[in-house]
Amino acid sequence: QVQVTESGGRVAQTGESLRLSCAASGSTSAINAMGWYRRTPGKEQRDLVAASADGSNPYYAEAVKGRFTISRDKTRSAVYLQMNNLKPEDTAVYYCRAYDQSGQPFGAWGQGTQVTVSS
């Protein structure tokens, strides 16, 4: 199994930048893709923000295109989310997720990391 731990969230001002980190542990050699999700206040579901498999064609949600960048480390057991030009609507708890070769997610969700953007 694979466990993930997110970090890097804090209170930021509009226009600031933040970098979130997610470290995976356990059977990390089985990880194919990793992604970042967020759950905004008042919503139950987590929305996919960005995802990357081999890094050649990452996915970005429309709301973050041009502002957020997802990257993986060389070991492929960590994933980062560089968030630039933050907006109040980016306020959310951010979670990462790891997926196997067949696209199935590993394990339960992590604790997430809170990002609050004040105007």
Side-chain angles (χ1 to χ4, degrees):
Q1 270 296 348
V2 171
Q3 297 79 39
V4 295
T5 304
E6 305 92 343
S7 63
R10 62 170 174 85
V11 177
Q13 300 290 320
T14 296
E16 273 195 76
S17 296
L18 277 181
R19 188 184 192 224
L20 304 184
S21 300
C22 171
S25 60
S27 304
T28 57
S29 61
I31 295 174
N32 180 30
M34 296 189 79
W36 283 97
Y37 291 74
R38 67 186 181 187
R39 182 162 61 189
T40 55
K43 289 186 67 175
E44 284 295 323
Q45 72 177 43
R46 297 172 179 88
D47 297 318
L48 181 62
V49 174
S52 174
D54 61 8
S56 61
N57 191 26
Y59 164 84
Y60 294 101
E62 196 62 37
V64 307
K65 279 182 181 177
R67 300 188 298 121
F68 290 12
T69 303
I70 188 171
S71 60
R72 306 269 300 270
D73 76 339
K74 291 182 179 180
T75 67
R76 296 171 58 81
S77 62
V79 64
Y80 309 97
L81 187 67
Q82 178 67 40
M83 306 188 295
N84 298 330
N85 191 22
L86 284 164
K87 303 177 179 181
E89 50 264 42
D90 294 320
T91 295
V93 180
Y94 285 74
Y95 301 86
C96 76
R97 196 82 157 148
Y99 293 83
D100 64 18
Q101 294 285 346
S102 65
Q104 293 300 307
F106 286 104
W109 291 95
Q111 292 296 309
T113 187
Q114 175 72 51
V115 173
T116 302
V117 183
S118 60
S119 57

